[in-house]
Amino acid sequence: MRILRFVGRRLLQLIPVLLGVVVLTFLLVRVLPGDPIRSILGPNATEADADAARARFGLDQPIWKQFLDYLGGLVTGDFGTSIQSGASVTGEMALRLGPTLELVFIAVSIAIVLAIWLGIWSARRADTVGDHSVRIFALFGNSIPEFWLGLVLILVGYAALGWFPAPSGRVDPDTNLTPLTGADLIDALITGNGPAISSSAAHLVLPVLTLVIGVLAPLLRSVRASALEVLRSEAYAAAAAHGLPERTLLRGYLRRATLVRLPSLAALVFGTALGSTVLVEYVYSWQGFGQWALRGLLYRDYPVVQASVLIIAFAYVLVFLIADVVHAWLDPRVKI
């Protein structure tokens, strides 16, 4: 019951936060240099054409009127009309968000599991060759640019070895996959399309691996540091001195105490990965949310930029809410 009250309070706090994001984003995108109408119509368009386009998208109205119209649309789930394509931003976002969420969720989930296993394993073997190897890998993951790593994996996995499909999309077009959620692997599983399942899974391997290496590094270092702190604590030494079995020490003391810090960092990593997948999506021609948001920014497409920033802000708040609940479950000392 306490958790439900806590979630309810945090959801109420979500309203002013998102409202602030809406206001700031609306104002900031309009002070960016460049005219979105001119960037779409091109240099040969007449002033009459530009005025007609501005009237079509409501850009000829006063700023306060544009904001009220935008705010009224948000209440009904309408993010506006894309200046670049003329299509509904809500519809475009629904097609683009699924592939990116699929990619980020799988990558972060794998990274969390590997970080827990490798971090605790490394801490229990501190200052050995295995521990140094794990630390070097974490340093490598922190330092290497994701777009460069993606290109290397393409050269090795596709061009040299031929183990994985070409980086030309998310699924082979001849699989006749019926789109439902935008996440191709999930859609293939829902529809029971065997060829699409194998094709989408194969296309996921390299981009997921690229994200996992970058996401794993900070999680791994955090888990290792927490595990070392627990191993050197008086409580763990006392439990070991009482002759508790190794399995009890690992599960009841080391693992649970180590994971206390992980939820908040995992939430931060998830939000960061969601907002920074654009380079990975470009390298692998993923056609996801990051590419869509960057294209909107380059073309000064106000509704697209506003919607993408709002979605990323909502994702941050939501994952941190989940992280706080998990943290409270792992650490009884936390009061919510």
Side-chain angles (χ1 to χ4, degrees), residues 28-200:
L28 289 176
V29 295
R30 279 159 176 77
V31 301
L32 291 175
D35 184 353
I37 297 300
R38 286 293 181 182
S39 65
I40 298 298
L41 297 181
N44 298 325
T46 64
E47 192 62 34
D49 294 335
D51 291 340
R54 290 190 184 94
R56 176 189 174 192
F57 294 107
L59 298 179
D60 59 336
Q61 301 293 325
I63 291 293
W64 64 268
K65 180 68 164 56
Q66 294 181 39
F67 178 73
L68 291 179
D69 290 341
Y70 174 61
L71 200 60
L74 287 181
V75 175
T76 61
D78 181 11
F79 288 90
T81 303
S82 170
I83 299 175
Q84 180 186 357
S85 65
S88 168
V89 172
T90 305
E92 288 189 348
M93 187 168 57
L95 293 175
R96 298 292 191 137
L97 194 56
T100 298
L101 286 177
E102 178 182 51
L103 181 62
V104 172
F105 183 80
I106 293 176
V108 173
S109 299
I110 293 174
I112 289 174
V113 173
L114 289 176
I116 294 171
W117 181 69
L118 284 175
I120 293 177
W121 182 89
S122 177
R124 297 177 72 190
R125 294 160 179 82
D127 299 324
T128 64
V129 175
D131 177 44
H132 291 313
S133 300
V134 171
R135 296 168 68 183
I136 291 173
F137 172 79
L139 179 63
F140 170 80
N142 262 337
S143 306
I144 192 168
E146 289 180 339
F147 70 91
W148 183 85
L149 177 61
L151 293 174
V152 170
L153 291 178
I154 290 172
L155 288 174
V156 175
Y158 165 67
L161 300 177
W163 290 351
F164 304 103
S168 57
R170 307 190 303 263
V171 67
D172 293 333
D174 57 358
T175 57
N176 298 319
L177 176 63
T178 302
L180 298 175
T181 64
D184 294 325
L185 181 59
I186 295 176
D187 292 345
L189 291 171
I190 292 174
T191 58
N193 189 330
I197 293 175
S198 58
S199 175
S200 57

Side-chain angles (χ1 to χ4, degrees), residues 13-25:
Q13 295 171 5
L14 178 67
I15 297 175
V17 171
L18 294 182
L19 184 59
V21 171
V22 168
V23 174
L24 287 176
T25 307

Side-chain angles (χ1 to χ4, degrees), residues 249-262:
L249 288 173
L250 176 61
R251 294 182 178 179
Y253 285 82
L254 180 57
R255 187 178 298 169
R256 189 179 183 94
T258 298
L259 296 184
V260 168
R261 298 180 184 176
L262 188 61

